[in-house]
Amino acid sequence: MMVGPGRAHGHRNRLRRLIPRLLLLVFAVYAASFAIYLLQSQSHHESPPDPTPRTEARDGVGTPPSSQKPWPRLPSFLPWVSSRAPPPHTCEAYFGNGFSRRVDVLPAGRGGGGGWFRCHHSETLGSSICEGARVRLDPALIAMSRGGEPLEQVMGRAEEEELPKYEPGALQVEGPAAGRTAPLVDAGFLNDYVPTGGTGMHTMRALLESARVVPPGELHCSQWVEEPTLLVTRFEYANLFHTITDWYSAYVSSRVTNLPNRPNVIFVDGHCKAQLEETWEALFSSVAYAKNFSGPVCFRHAILSPLGYETAMFKGLSESFSCEGASAESLREKPDYEKTARLSEFGEMIVASFGLLQDDIMSSKKSNGLNVLFVRREDYLAHPRHSGKVESRLSNEREVYDAIDKWAQGLKCKVNVVNGLFAHMSMKEQLRAILEASVVIGAHGAGLTHLVSATPDTKVLEIISSMYRRPHFALISHWKSLEYHAINLPGSYARITDVISELKKILEGLGC
């Protein structure tokens, strides 16, 4: 059928009118889509939506890829989160997850805003591990030195300059849309859950006291940290015993909050860089100083790690509680709240962080003779207020070491006397020496804190001067179930015959 010229002309006119309309519609759809894209991009830049908290993920389901270090497989690991909390003031409550009372300061998803904040309180330790989402830390509102400087650049700097003093709002958490800024917690909360205790300056309590809740849209940040991050304040950061209590507190905080990977660490202090920072970097995913940020920094998930003074390792020096070491295997078969494998688990964590949790160390310990590790005290420059001279705990230390070395050479069995000059050894070298030791001997001093990483068959001989009769290493040995011996001196001078006689008995027990 043919179409007449009139009708064909009408079709052409309608097409001419329709094409511009179609083009206009396509352009409008494109413009709207582009506008939505820009709005979403701008919103993501200023305050990205809060992802599902990493701590709620299970078995990797729904967990975004992480750049953080995974937890190593530890032979002594026991679950930290269970349906039943250990009874207060038991061994497990001291060393494990006694943080059983959860206090929701800002419940998640209530009243607007994407932030939340809660604390896990331990009646046993009188301490709390607090954590929150959409948390801001403003270095400009913290008075302290920059931190992380080389030691030689800050010699003579006072400790007061290195410890943080907070102005209101140094810590902020996004909360309900109240339209105003308000304190996160009151004095009653602090007294109940973060008491000062025996610490004259409680920096984590002071940080919480400075904290403010801000309405949605008011959390202005120069950058966002996406991965879980521990906020840590150190006091005696150059001393191995006190630093190990800080490491333990940070480790416990990570486990109690059920982090799927090893967190970042931010030092909220102004201490200079010290030798022990090497181990912080090995244990955790990254290390930085709060004052090194150029502006306010926001965290998807921040955890406030309690002071090292609040750990069982420190409280055991002044509080008496029943607690003895046991293997994780025995506790798996027969749980006992009066025993612990936590220090063994933690020691394995340190060892694994340096790649030393290997069977070849155990085999070499048995095949190359018996290693007697003599942990020595030597002069070294520790911190800006240090003279570089260590206080002698054994006045004839060199004489004792030389006598043991000479005596061991005449034995029928093979005994290697190892000169443990830890101050001039890398951490990996120190740990390897501890792991390979059949016997650890030394005067009372922080170097013996490495016993937390010793293998279960290690024997300990501590030489204790009359000025330093403190239970640090007898307790660690007990909590690790290590065989412990001590020689208590009337002063600081040890008789060679007494030391060799005690060491001989120990070696006989090892078949020598």
Side-chain angles (χ1 to χ4, degrees):
M1 178 174 133
M2 297 185 62
V3 179
R7 294 186 63 182
H9 181 72
H11 279 302
R12 285 195 294 272
N13 286 338
R14 282 194 294 272
L15 284 173
R16 289 193 190 99
R17 291 193 298 269
L18 185 59
I19 288 172
R21 291 175 184 172
L22 288 173
L23 291 173
L24 185 61
L25 179 61
V26 170
F27 179 80
V29 170
Y30 175 81
S33 300
F34 186 67
I36 291 170
Y37 169 78
L38 286 178
L39 286 171
Q40 289 177 336
S41 299
Q42 182 67 13
S43 172
H44 181 76
H45 176 74
E46 291 178 356
S47 183
D50 199 37
T52 302
R54 307 281 202 274
T55 52
E56 301 302 323
R58 296 291 183 274
D59 300 324
V61 178
T63 307
S66 175
S67 60
Q68 295 188 315
K69 298 175 187 176
W71 293 109
R73 296 182 66 87
L74 307 175
S76 296
F77 179 82
L78 292 170
W80 284 80
V81 180
S82 65
S83 57
R84 185 183 175 194
H89 305 289
T90 58
C91 182
E92 176 63 11
Y94 269 99
F95 280 97
N97 192 358
F99 296 86
S100 54
R101 183 173 183 181
R102 174 172 152 175
V103 184
D104 287 305
V105 181
L106 283 179
R110 206 178 283 178
W116 52 263
F117 199 88
R118 59 183 173 235
C119 293
H120 308 269
H121 181 65
S122 168
E123 176 188 336
T124 303
L125 296 173
S127 177
S128 295
I129 297 168
C130 298
E131 59 174 333
R134 298 183 71 81
V135 174
R136 187 185 94 149
L137 186 71
D138 189 349
L141 298 179
I142 308 174
M144 63 183 179
S145 46
R146 180 175 175 82
E149 310 94 339
L151 172 58
E152 58 272 13
Q153 292 183 9
V154 294
M155 288 302 298
R157 184 167 68 188
E159 184 179 29
E160 292 74 20
E161 297 178 51
E162 299 177 348
L163 295 175
K165 298 177 183 64
Y166 303 105
E167 295 181 33
L171 192 74
Q172 293 183 357
V173 185
E174 185 179 273
R180 63 184 180 86
T181 299
L184 176 65
V185 296
D186 58 22
F189 176 93
L190 292 171
N191 292 335
D192 288 341
Y193 299 111
V194 196
T196 301
T199 309
M201 181 182 185
H202 197 303
T203 49
M204 284 299 150
R205 177 186 169 105
L207 180 57
L208 278 173
E209 192 173 20
S210 81
R212 298 293 182 266
V213 182
V214 298
E218 296 298 318
L219 203 66
H220 304 298
C221 315
S222 63
Q223 69 179 92
W224 280 86
V225 176
E226 299 293 334
E227 304 285 1
T229 301
L230 294 176
L231 304 182
V232 175
T233 298
R234 305 162 298 162
F235 279 77
E236 298 170 73
Y237 66 101
N239 176 282
L240 182 62
F241 174 79
H242 289 284
T243 300
I244 281 184
T245 65
D246 285 331
W247 293 339
Y248 191 71
S249 182
Y251 178 71
V252 171
S253 298
S254 305
R255 292 303 197 179
V256 168
T257 53
N258 206 20
L259 300 184
N261 295 295
R262 292 188 251 174
N264 305 318
V265 168
I266 302 294
F267 292 139
V268 192
D269 61 52
H271 298 308
C272 66
K273 194 162 188 177
Q275 184 182 14
L276 295 173
E277 196 166 316
E278 171 192 7
T279 309
W280 281 104
E281 293 168 348
L283 281 168
F284 301 98
S285 287
S286 68
V287 172
Y289 288 79
K291 277 288 190 180
N292 292 173
F293 290 98
S294 58
V297 57
C298 287
F299 304 94
R300 295 292 177 205
H301 187 184
I303 301 99
L304 277 62
S305 181
L307 304 179
Y309 298 129
E310 297 171 345
T311 60
M313 293 180 67
F314 191 85
K315 286 186 175 289
L317 303 177
S318 57
E319 297 180 13
S320 178
F321 54 90
S322 174
C323 190
E324 61 180 279
S327 70
E329 184 180 5
S330 68
L331 293 176
R332 289 187 193 105
E333 294 176 358
K334 187 180 179 181
D336 187 341
Y337 289 131
E338 299 302 333
K339 296 181 179 180
T340 186
R342 296 298 184 189
L343 272 192
S344 295
E345 174 188 332
F346 174 60
E348 290 166 1
M349 177 66 200
I350 297 174
V351 168
S353 296
F354 285 92
L356 293 172
L357 196 63
Q358 301 165 6
D359 292 337
D360 63 330
I361 290 177
M362 307 308 167
S363 60
S364 68
K365 182 173 180 175
K366 296 177 181 177
S367 63
N368 297 330
L370 298 174
N371 286 347
V372 174
L373 172 63
F374 198 117
V375 178
R376 306 282 301 279
R377 288 179 63 80
E378 55 183 329
D379 293 341
Y380 74 103
L381 193 60
H383 56 77
R385 296 158 293 283
H386 194 237
S387 66
K389 299 289 183 182
V390 299
E391 193 172 6
S392 174
R393 309 285 173 83
L394 179 59
S395 58
N396 61 330
E397 181 185 275
R398 181 74 207 192
E399 180 187 3
V400 173
Y401 170 79
D402 289 342
I404 291 174
D405 190 34
K406 183 177 180 180
W407 169 76
Q409 292 174 22
L411 297 175
K412 292 182 180 179
C413 58
K414 185 178 181 182
V415 175
N416 311 303
V417 180
V418 181
N419 194 2
L421 295 171
F422 281 0
H424 294 91
M425 294 166 65
S426 70
M427 183 58 68
K428 189 170 184 176
E429 291 170 333
Q430 295 175 47
L431 291 169
R432 180 176 283 277
I434 286 286
L435 290 169
E436 293 178 341
S438 298
V439 182
V440 177
I441 179 174
H444 179 93
L448 290 178
T449 319
H450 274 311
L451 290 171
V452 299
S453 298
T455 57
D457 57 347
T458 304
K459 318 299 180 187
V460 182
L461 176 56
E462 183 180 6
I463 304 173
I464 308 173
S465 79
S466 59
M467 289 82 78
Y468 292 95
R469 295 217 169 131
R470 299 170 185 169
H472 297 62
F473 310 113
L475 286 171
I476 289 175
S477 298
H478 184 63
W479 295 331
K480 283 266 297 180
S481 195
L482 303 178
E483 185 180 307
Y484 174 83
H485 305 261
I487 299 175
N488 289 295
L489 307 178
S492 63
Y493 181 88
R495 293 197 307 177
I496 303 297
T497 53
D498 291 345
V499 177
I500 289 180
S501 174
E502 192 66 32
L503 183 57
K504 181 181 178 183
K505 293 176 188 175
I506 295 171
L507 292 176
E508 285 174 351
L510 291 170
C512 179

